Amino acid sequence: MKLLEWNIHKMTNNIPVKPFVYNRILGQEADIICLVEYIDDMGIKNKLNEGYWISESIASSGNQILIAINKKIAPNGIELVRDIEEDLCYNFLHISFTNSSDKKISVIGVRMLSPINATLQTEPLKNYLSKIKETFICTGDFNIKRHRMNYWFPKYNIGNLNYDNEEINNSSIIYVEKDTKIINGFGDVDHVLASHDLQVELKYEWDFINDDDEYPQKSNLRKGELWDIKPAYPDHAMLIAEIDIIY
């Protein structure tokens, strides 16, 4: 299975994404799509509707999560398990489906809320995941550095991360200074947690910044560049994961 996770950067604004965003999503031909920092977007849903089952979370704190499952791997549709976020912790969506081999798989999308407080935010998620008996994939923006994921989630599989881009090997622009608009840091905060019956190989892709002049430069993003980040322009890489079931 191929997974695409992407932080769309809606920032609680109901602004449609540009066509390059949903064209990039479709271009991956993913089996599983998880969009975070998302708000209802008809452009995205119209493009996905023919080939995917789609579910969205409730926007209690302003943002939603969208999960889309390719109809080819879920011939009988998807089941909504939970679409309500964990108060003061994270946006949340949990769906499940049964694949063509009659194996049940859960897919959970999360976006940890700010201010970041891993002590508060991780415990409810660990408790929730511990109760899932079937194969599962939990992905999203955890707002936790990758080297800390094993500390906060010691019992779960975080997959193998491949660094293909020597210029930017992280998943997000951590922040742009409010007054100067200077990009001042990068971070690896988009991840996959998975059950141990899955083999997960993942990478971050920044190629989409070549699609629109809104980004500081065509080839890459660098610290010290100026950018006034607009809503609906992604400021995170696309997380791409290849996931194999271990039988």
Side-chain angles (χ1 to χ4, degrees):
M1 298 179 291
K2 184 177 183 179
L3 165 72
L4 162 63
E5 182 271 339
W6 203 3
N7 185 311
I8 299 299
H9 192 65
K10 284 292 190 86
M11 298 172 61
T12 72
N13 291 279
N14 193 12
I15 298 173
V17 298
K18 301 292 184 180
F20 80 87
V21 175
Y22 49 73
N23 287 338
R24 282 283 178 172
I25 293 170
L26 288 171
Q28 289 293 333
E29 298 182 343
D31 298 301
I32 301 169
I33 297 168
C34 178
L35 305 180
V36 303
E37 203 170 317
Y38 161 91
I39 292 178
D40 183 60
D41 194 297
M42 291 309 299
I44 291 174
K45 290 193 291 187
N46 286 340
K47 292 293 183 178
L48 293 177
N49 188 56
E50 182 176 348
Y52 291 84
W53 309 109
I54 299 171
S55 184
E56 296 169 300
S57 68
I58 296 172
S60 301
S61 60
N63 285 314
Q64 295 172 275
I65 290 173
L66 176 145
I67 292 176
I69 306 296
N70 197 308
K71 293 178 180 179
K72 293 178 181 178
I73 69 164
N76 299 314
I78 62 177
E79 176 186 353
L80 174 63
V81 180
R82 174 177 164 179
D83 59 4
I84 299 171
E85 67 184 38
E86 187 73 19
D87 189 35
L88 302 178
C89 290
Y90 41 74
N91 306 133
F92 190 88
L93 180 62
H94 178 184
I95 65 95
S96 67
F97 68 93
T98 302
N99 67 12
S100 55
S101 299
D102 205 33
K103 184 174 184 63
K104 187 175 182 181
I105 300 171
S106 273
V107 180
I108 300 108
V110 299
R111 179 184 176 272
M112 297 294 188
L113 303 179
S114 294
I116 299 169
N117 184 342
T119 302
L120 171 67
Q121 296 177 116
T122 57
E123 288 305 315
L125 184 58
K126 286 191 288 187
N127 290 338
Y128 190 91
L129 295 178
S130 70
K131 298 174 184 177
I132 299 175
K133 303 304 180 185
E134 67 266 18
T135 296
F136 75 83
I137 301 158
C138 177
T139 188
D141 174 4
F142 288 80
N143 271 318
I144 295 171
K145 292 277 192 175
R146 181 173 173 83
H147 73 273
R148 297 288 287 169
M149 286 294 285
N150 275 325
Y151 174 82
W152 292 110
F153 297 99
K155 295 182 179 180
Y156 300 105
N157 172 11
I158 65 169
N160 300 310
L161 178 62
N162 302 304
Y163 293 100
D164 289 345
N165 188 330
E166 294 182 0
E167 294 288 340
I168 308 175
N169 55 23
N170 296 310
S171 73
S172 75
I173 301 170
I174 289 295
Y175 59 92
V176 174
E177 292 180 359
K178 183 177 180 181
D179 296 326
T180 65
K181 311 302 181 187
I182 294 175
I183 297 173
N184 205 19
F186 293 87
D188 47 349
V189 295
D190 294 75
H191 309 296
V192 173
L193 289 175
S195 51
H196 286 281
D197 59 344
L198 296 178
Q199 176 69 33
V200 182
E201 301 288 334
L202 57 118
K203 61 183 178 180
Y204 301 133
E205 292 193 359
W206 284 94
D207 291 351
F208 68 91
I209 67 174
N210 297 316
D211 296 342
D212 197 285
D213 289 335
E214 178 66 22
Y215 293 95
Q217 57 188 58
K218 288 292 184 180
S219 59
N220 53 58
L221 296 168
R222 295 177 181 172
K223 293 182 182 181
E225 291 285 343
L226 302 179
W227 187 29
D228 187 5
I229 303 177
K230 294 181 179 179
Y233 278 89
D235 63 341
H236 288 219
M238 292 186 291
L239 184 154
I240 308 296
E242 295 291 343
I243 300 171
D244 293 316
I245 300 172
I246 302 170
Y247 291 97

